[in-house]
Amino acid sequence: MRILLVEDERKVASFIARALREHTYAVDVADTGERGLEMALEAAYDAIILDVRLPGMSGIEVCERLRRAGLETPILMLTARTLVEQRVEGLDAGADDYLTKPFALAELAARVRALIRRGVGHGAAILRFADLELDRRRRRAKRSGASIALTSKEFALLEFLLVRAPNPITRSEIIEHVWDCHFDSGTNLVEVYVRRLREKIDGEGSLRLIHTVRGVGYRLGLPE
Ligand code: CA
């Protein structure tokens, strides 16, 4: 899942981004409201974290403009003070939730998780298909009850395949939702990750679940 973080304070932004990446999210950072607006309308994010206090265009205004443009991506607003008015303003502008600074990173991660889950089609805390199980809260994968160790990118890729299962996903959708904007789409990294994930998920003796769909991309589902 890919997140856009709009925050002008560089230290705070890198602190939040690092924590979210540890939770296997791909994160892009925008340091102004104008840039955030542009990026949010360009790429397919699964959630947006928006600081209220930004130089130039405020977080409130960015939020209003995104909603006016018809964007339905869940938005978490970061408010600097405990002012009730600021929260109300944020929610009125179309934010789904807010968090008051300073906050614990665990709290932020929990809010983001809940927000993405509420987003269209993103399903439950535990994703299942056949004997494969992915616990999004504990970041664990199991097949037939046996734990499978996954790297954070492998986890993110499997999560995206499961969210869309049994429908196929294209290579560019994978790049959009699993990697951030610094990803070089000219590489064969997607193929490498799919292969590694296959080796771990579809081990010897188990039913194959990850399939290549010729001319489209990949799908997680039962063999045809
Ligand atoms: Ca700020």
Side-chain angles (χ1 to χ4, degrees):
M1 303 287 113
R2 185 174 173 192
I3 294 170
L4 174 64
L5 170 64
V6 189
E7 165 66 88
D8 59 307
E9 288 151 87
R10 200 162 291 179
K11 268 190 183 164
V12 179
S14 72
F15 184 60
I16 294 174
R18 198 178 328 128
L20 291 172
R21 286 184 186 119
E22 276 168 20
H23 283 85
T24 76
Y25 297 110
V27 184
D28 290 338
V29 179
D31 61 0
T32 64
E34 288 81 357
R35 184 76 192 115
L37 185 66
E38 205 177 280
M39 287 169 79
L41 295 172
E42 259 168 28
Y45 291 101
D46 298 289
I48 298 168
I49 300 174
L50 194 52
D51 187 34
V52 166
R53 297 185 68 179
L54 297 166
M57 195 189 292
S58 77
I60 303 278
E61 197 177 343
V62 174
C63 189
E64 271 170 359
R65 290 204 187 195
L66 289 175
R67 292 305 186 228
R68 239 184 285 143
L71 197 88
E72 289 175 356
T73 310
I75 295 176
L76 174 68
M77 202 78 102
L78 301 180
T79 58
R81 290 157 289 168
T82 51
L83 283 179
V84 176
E85 301 83 64
Q86 205 172 49
R87 289 184 232 163
V88 171
E89 219 184 334
L91 296 172
D92 278 350
D96 299 273
D97 198 5
Y98 64 87
L99 196 56
T100 306
K101 284 180 174 176
F103 48 80
L105 284 175
E107 173 76 3
L108 176 75
R111 296 290 187 93
V112 168
R113 212 157 42 223
L115 213 57
I116 288 178
R117 218 179 297 144
R118 266 187 270 150
V120 187
H122 284 136
I126 293 183
L127 298 171
R128 287 190 184 87
F129 194 94
D131 57 350
L132 178 64
E133 191 182 292
L134 195 75
D135 185 330
R136 299 166 109 179
R137 197 164 303 157
R138 296 194 177 82
R139 319 303 299 177
R140 281 183 199 146
K142 280 181 182 176
R143 179 106 202 239
S144 294
S147 290
I148 301 163
L150 298 176
T151 65
S152 88
K153 278 290 170 236
E154 288 165 357
F155 185 96
L157 175 59
L158 182 60
E159 182 181 31
F160 190 48
L161 278 160
L162 271 163
V163 162
R164 294 292 184 86
N167 300 311
I169 50 177
T170 65
R171 188 174 176 276
S172 57
E173 282 178 315
I174 293 174
I175 293 169
E176 262 187 0
H177 289 268
V178 177
W179 274 275
D180 61 31
C181 63
H182 303 294
F183 183 75
D184 174 9
S185 59
T187 68
N188 67 341
L189 215 58
V190 172
E191 291 73 13
V192 170
Y193 271 93
V194 170
R195 190 165 64 234
R196 278 172 31 178
L197 192 57
R198 254 187 193 140
E199 282 166 8
K200 292 186 177 182
I201 299 300
D202 294 342
E204 270 173 63
S206 47
L207 194 67
R208 283 190 55 195
L209 293 178
I210 299 172
H211 310 277
T212 302
V213 184
R214 208 169 292 169
V216 180
Y218 305 94
R219 72 177 177 89
L220 192 145
L222 298 172
E224 273 169 353

